[in-house]
Amino acid sequence: MKGKILTAMITALITVILIALAVFFIFGFNTRPETVMSVSSPQVTYEAYVIENPSIDPPNQSLFISLTGTGEFRLVAILPEDIEAAQKIYWSDDGTRAIFITNWHIFVTDVRNFNTRKLSLNPDWWTRHQDGKTFSSSGRLVALEEFELFGSDSLKYRTSLMAQPETVSLAETR
């Protein structure tokens, strides 16, 4: 009798381990984060890049800036999983500001002190689901229709919801 119980317990344990391993590999949790977008500063001193972290339901991205060739880096932002994703990266002409454009925000980071300014592109609110673990938006798409950098001190942008473009001084991120 003891032998049958022990065999059943070992079989159950092995089954649980095999199921856990299958889930681990099927959903990609065995993969490492990968760089999905990267742009070097004009002077090639810095590199701004976007990392996609393993996820069942991507996107699951983070924004980084590194010192070229040193292995040193800084985290700019962790984007909300499933909702926000990077679209484009720009640098100011003097290479002091990295601009990350996502489907929800513009992040402007001064690489000298890492002050970051976040400009909202989409006025939509997010909703937390009843399970308390997930959230979503209304799904209203807002497109960035115009974007222009003026030297190193200002930018202009317009979304599909705006009648006129907005000009933003970058001096405030110093």
Side-chain angles (χ1 to χ4, degrees):
M1 185 67 165
K2 286 183 180 180
K4 288 183 180 182
I5 292 174
L6 183 60
T7 303
M9 288 175 49
I10 291 172
T11 303
L13 180 64
I14 291 172
T15 302
V16 168
I17 291 171
L18 289 175
I19 290 171
L21 283 172
V23 167
F24 183 77
F25 285 103
I26 289 171
F27 290 111
F29 292 119
N30 61 323
T31 60
R32 296 184 180 270
E34 70 176 83
T35 302
V36 293
M37 189 182 313
S38 172
V39 177
S40 293
S41 64
Q43 294 77 12
V44 196
T45 307
Y46 300 98
E47 180 183 10
Y49 58 98
V50 179
I51 295 291
E52 180 75 50
N53 297 299
S55 174
I56 293 173
D57 185 18
N60 184 15
Q61 298 180 343
S62 301
L63 313 177
F64 290 91
I65 296 174
S66 67
L67 276 166
T68 303
T70 66
E72 296 177 19
F73 65 93
R74 293 280 302 261
L75 173 67
V76 173
I78 298 172
L79 304 181
E81 187 173 356
D82 302 337
I83 291 181
E84 191 168 11
Q87 308 292 313
K88 190 91 172 157
I89 301 171
Y90 294 95
W91 281 95
S92 61
D93 293 339
D94 65 358
T96 60
R97 290 183 185 81
I99 298 100
F100 294 89
I101 297 177
T102 73
N103 55 324
W104 282 84
H105 297 96
I106 297 174
F107 292 87
V108 181
T109 300
D110 188 322
V111 296
R112 297 167 293 187
N113 56 24
F114 276 88
N115 287 339
T116 299
R117 184 169 180 191
K118 184 164 104 173
L119 307 169
S120 181
L121 298 175
N122 191 333
D124 202 3
W125 288 85
W126 298 343
T127 304
R128 185 165 304 279
H129 297 168
Q130 287 183 344
D131 65 7
K133 297 177 184 176
T134 59
F135 55 93
S136 62
S137 70
S138 69
R140 176 174 48 172
L141 297 177
V142 177
L144 184 65
E145 294 182 343
E146 184 179 333
F147 180 83
E148 189 175 353
L149 280 169
F150 297 104
S152 297
D153 60 353
S154 63
L155 63 83
K156 180 171 70 171
Y157 72 95
R158 184 177 61 80
T159 70
S160 54
L161 300 177
M162 300 166 68
Q164 297 295 318
E166 185 171 330
T167 301
V168 177
S169 171
L170 300 179
E172 297 171 17
T173 57
R174 288 186 183 180

